[in-house]
Amino acid sequence: MRILVLGGDGYLGWATAMYFSNRDHEVAVVDNFKRRLMHAERGTDTLTPIASLHKRVDAWQEVTGKQIDMFIGDIKDWFFISKVIQDFQPEAIVHYGEIPSAPYSMIDVHHAVDVHENNVNGTLNVLWAMHQFAPEAHLIKLGTMGEYGTPNVDIPEGYFEVEFRGRKDVLPFPKQPGSFYHLTKVHDSNNIMFACKIWGLRATDLNQGVVYGIETPESNLDDRLLTRFDYDESFGTALNRFCVQAVAGIPITLFGKGQQTRGYLNILDTLQCVDITAHNPPAPGKMRVFNQWVERFSVLDLAQHVKVAAESVGIDVKIAHYENPRVEAEVHYYNPDHNELYDLGLKPHLLDDSLVEQVINRVVQYKDRIVTDSIVPRIYWKKGDSDEYVAITEYEENGQ
Ligand code: NAD
Ligand code: USQ
């Protein structure tokens, strides 16, 4: 298959490019290094010492004899991305090429607008380019479980049957996202659904949960092939952050009550899910939606898993409640479906099987690179609250 990976210099994109290349697909990546620039702006960095995209592509060729093509440019630039799609003629487009951070989108008006322009307009360009130059291609778009928010009812996979005033229909499930970033994914989903309907495009919207992990079989071939691993307040996600905090001796940052529950998955399962999706394309004309997550944890559960795992290798861990910088439900119902990918063959990796070997030990390897002052949250959803962030209380077993 000819596979174009948008955002191929990123955490998931680089791992995906190597995964498909290793299985003898023809792979090209697109990136404009926006993520590296945002780190420079925030004064933060990946834990893993990643090489430039050019060096990683060269190392991949040296180690495996396989080639990954590169197109360096901005998806927001119509002339660039339409030419890439016209020239490469992808059969599948795996679209990771967006700004992925909820906190970054909440810094101020400029960041909210940047995230909207980048994500929503970039995806619009991709849809138009597919329509004009690659109408048979399958768009595999990374959306997020956060599109749904935390309603007090079960969450289906995209659509649900509704009966209202004696009439029935199957409609998109309501979205109640929790940040301007998560809202961009809702806007994308609407635009993709519309493009499928009017132009007969094929698309799968993967509503992915929070990803954790560093290693993949491909990145383990050579340390020059590592993917990025972030732990700072903007780009680090819960589990990855907690492992770094454990190793750095910083109390684990539970926001508020710590009962916020989300779906999580190992980066190995992101790769597996994208592979399964690519090999089972939908019929044209309707956007398909899969909920892509494996295990459900509250952040307190996660912290306790990290504590047990880290203590098993002699690392003493403290857990603390921090003033929640976000506006979100801290205690809520959460029961999203996730059957579609399992029905197509997903064999999940479980957290406790990989936490020590594949994550904590790797964090220990790069311990000296941890920038400790980028961990405590300073970006608040509501202006003014940041003055109060000092409220930190240590978690006590049975005490909270
Ligand atoms: P990432 O920031 O590491 O990767 C995204 C890549 O896209 C970066 O290399 C960035 O430079 C590139 N990019 C962004 N805007 C671009 C543009 N306009 N033109 C060209 N390149 C551009 O993020 P990630 O963690 O790998 O996430 C990938 C996708 O998956 C995102 O869309 C994110 O919203 C989604 N997602 C991630 C997670 C997670 O836990 N990591 C969970 C659910 C969904
Ligand atoms: N949280 C803490 N402490 C922390 C960091 C986070 O308690 O130090 C809490 C948050 O308040 C939230 C939950 O953990 O309730 C998840 O936060 P997160 O930062 O791990 O994830 P989120 O901001 O939702 O974003 C991440 C990715 C994003 C993806 C999303 C999937 O950055 O790209 O879309 O996970 S989901 O959460 O399912 O929407």
Side-chain angles (χ1 to χ4, degrees), residues 47-286:
L47 178 77
T48 44
I50 55 170
S52 69
L53 181 61
H54 294 72
K55 285 201 175 122
R56 294 198 288 193
V57 162
D58 287 348
W60 178 248
Q61 175 130 38
E62 187 190 311
V63 172
T64 65
K66 296 172 199 286
Q67 185 180 327
I68 293 175
D69 290 325
M70 276 182 297
F71 297 101
I72 307 306
D74 191 332
I75 299 164
K76 287 201 308 299
D77 176 350
W78 162 253
F79 296 101
F80 165 73
I81 194 63
S82 61
K83 180 145 179 29
V84 169
I85 289 178
Q86 185 175 18
D87 290 351
F88 188 68
Q89 282 296 305
E91 290 157 277
I93 300 176
V94 186
H95 183 8
Y96 295 110
E98 298 197 335
I99 299 173
S101 164
Y104 187 83
S105 75
M106 300 300 293
I107 294 173
D108 57 19
V109 58
H110 309 291
H111 290 81
V113 169
D114 186 27
V115 174
H116 267 63
E117 287 180 351
N118 190 72
N119 294 1
V120 181
N121 294 350
T123 296
L124 259 182
N125 275 342
V126 172
L127 292 168
W128 275 96
M130 288 176 67
H131 169 50
Q132 293 190 7
F133 303 116
E136 294 301 320
H138 174 194
L139 176 66
I140 300 169
K141 167 65 171 47
L142 272 292
T144 171
M145 285 301 295
E147 291 184 40
Y148 300 114
T150 54
N152 197 31
V153 293
D154 291 354
I155 298 173
E157 302 200 58
Y159 304 91
F160 72 143
E161 192 178 82
V162 193
E163 186 171 347
F164 182 60
R165 294 183 182 161
R167 301 184 67 82
K168 283 188 185 165
D169 204 349
V170 174
L171 297 174
F173 190 74
K175 306 286 178 73
Q176 303 181 77
S179 73
F180 285 119
Y181 152 72
H182 286 99
L183 271 154
T184 65
K185 297 291 190 177
V186 176
H187 304 325
D188 284 345
S189 294
N190 286 332
N191 288 341
I192 299 167
M193 204 181 330
F194 183 70
C196 288
K197 188 167 78 179
I198 59 169
W199 297 325
L201 298 183
R202 284 171 219 276
T204 307
D205 199 9
L206 294 176
N207 285 338
Q208 181 168 245
V210 188
V211 185
Y212 63 86
I214 301 180
E215 297 194 341
T216 73
E218 288 78 24
S219 70
N220 284 350
L221 292 172
D222 189 308
D223 273 0
R224 289 174 298 167
L225 300 173
L226 282 169
T227 198
R228 61 178 323 114
F229 183 90
D230 294 297
Y231 59 90
D232 61 282
E233 63 158 336
S234 306
F235 299 108
T237 50
L239 198 268
N240 289 353
R241 272 168 67 73
F242 293 174
C243 292
V244 171
Q245 292 162 1
V247 170
I250 297 167
I252 288 182
T253 54
L254 285 187
F255 293 167
K257 294 192 174 71
Q259 295 299 327
Q260 304 90 312
T261 302
R262 302 285 184 270
Y264 290 81
L265 69 164
N266 191 309
I267 188 170
L268 296 173
D269 289 334
T270 296
L271 302 179
Q272 206 190 148
C273 290
V274 168
D275 189 1
I276 288 171
T277 304
H279 284 95
N280 294 278
K286 183 182 174 195

